[in-house]
Amino acid sequence: MLSSVPRPRRSVGGTADQMWDARLAESLPHEALEVPSADHSLELADDAEGSVEVMRQVVSRLDRFIGSLAR
């Protein structure tokens, strides 16, 4: 019955990623981080500094999320 136990989840995707479905992400019962203009690798085209900032934000969010699991 472990498959019926809810598990904490997070979704991260970029609006320039054809695989990202914003409507689906919004419909799920967990937090989703949508990064404007980011591709499937969460990179911003022709913007290395912006891509690094995106990674910083994603890692920060994941760090908080992982920290919340220990409570």
Side-chain angles (χ1 to χ4, degrees), residues 12-63:
V12 179
T15 60
D17 178 2
Q18 294 179 350
M19 303 284 295
W20 178 251
D21 185 336
R23 281 188 247 170
L24 175 61
E26 288 177 16
S27 74
L28 297 173
H30 63 265
E31 182 181 330
L33 171 61
E34 184 173 85
V35 183
S37 302
D39 63 15
H40 192 70
S41 299
L42 298 176
E43 295 177 345
L44 305 175
D46 302 318
D47 186 357
E49 287 183 37
S51 295
V52 170
E53 177 59 22
V54 167
M55 286 296 117
R56 188 196 66 71
Q57 290 175 16
V58 169
V59 169
S60 177
R61 287 270 188 106
L62 290 176
D63 185 51

Side-chain angles (χ1 to χ4, degrees), residues 1-13 20 24-33 58 61-69:
M1 303 296 164
L2 287 176
S3 62
S4 65
V5 176
R7 288 174 269 179
R9 294 180 174 93
R10 293 295 182 263
S11 297
V12 179
W20 178 251
L24 175 61
E26 288 177 16
S27 74
L28 297 173
H30 63 265
E31 182 181 330
L33 171 61
V58 169
R61 287 270 188 106
L62 290 176
D63 185 51
R64 286 195 308 268
F65 171 65
I66 292 168
S68 75
L69 299 176

